[in-house]
Amino acid sequence: QVQLVESGGGLVQPGGSLSLSCAASGRILNIHSWDGYRQAPGKERELVATITGGDAITSGDSVKGRSNITRDAAKNTGYLHMTNLEADDTAVYYCHAHLDVITRANADHLAFRRGDYWGNGIPVTVSS
C-alpha cells in the first residue's frame, strides 16, 4: 500500500556533500515525521536526522552540524543533506516515515491506519 523509495546515493569524495531523497507513494493521508537512518558494515543502525510535521529537527550525535533534513509535504518527499563527508559516513542509508494510510474512503467515512514504513536503503560510499 505504501512505498518509500530512496534516491541519490552512490560514491562521494571525502569532504564532499550528499543529498538523498525519499519519496512516499500510496494512499497517504498525512506524514507525521521523516527519519534518515544509516547502517555501516558491522554496526547497528543509527539515527541520522528526524523532521516532524511541525518541522522540528533532531540530528544524531555523529552527524551533528553536518546534516540537515527537510520535507515537501505536497510531494510526500523527505530530503537528507550531509556535508563534509568522511569515510566513517560510508553506510546504507534508509528512510523511515511515520504516517497515516487511508484504509477506506467514501462520501460518509474516512478511515486510516497509522504506521511506520521503511525504504529499502541506498548505499553511500565515501572514498577517493
Side-chain angles (χ1 to χ4, degrees):
Q1 285 185 326
V2 173
Q3 276 195 315
L4 271 58
V5 179
E6 300 109 333
S7 60
L11 179 65
V12 182
Q13 298 269 345
S17 61
L18 173 71
S19 289
L20 301 175
S21 64
C22 179
S25 62
R27 303 183 74 193
I28 297 168
L29 178 62
N30 188 30
I31 298 176
H32 299 284
S33 64
W34 287 97
D35 312 281
Y37 282 82
R38 69 183 184 182
Q39 188 166 17
K43 295 187 177 180
E44 292 187 355
R45 191 171 295 191
E46 66 172 348
L47 177 71
V48 178
T50 296
I51 184 168
T52 68
D55 290 329
I57 293 173
T58 303
S59 296
D61 289 339
S62 63
V63 299
K64 213 158 262 187
R66 300 190 296 121
S67 70
N68 188 31
I69 187 167
T70 59
R71 65 186 184 93
D72 186 331
K75 295 181 179 180
N76 285 336
T77 300
Y79 304 92
L80 179 67
H81 311 276
M82 291 181 62
T83 59
N84 197 22
L85 268 69
E86 308 162 350
D88 286 347
D89 295 314
T90 295
V92 177
Y93 284 71
Y94 297 88
C95 69
H96 167 268
H98 186 62
L99 55 81
D100 297 331
V101 181
I102 296 170
T103 55
R104 187 170 68 182
N106 55 41
D108 302 316
H109 185 69
L110 176 68
F112 64 90
R113 180 182 67 248
R114 186 163 297 174
D116 295 285
Y117 295 85
W118 289 89
N120 289 330
I122 191 165
V124 173
T125 301
V126 182
S127 174
S128 55

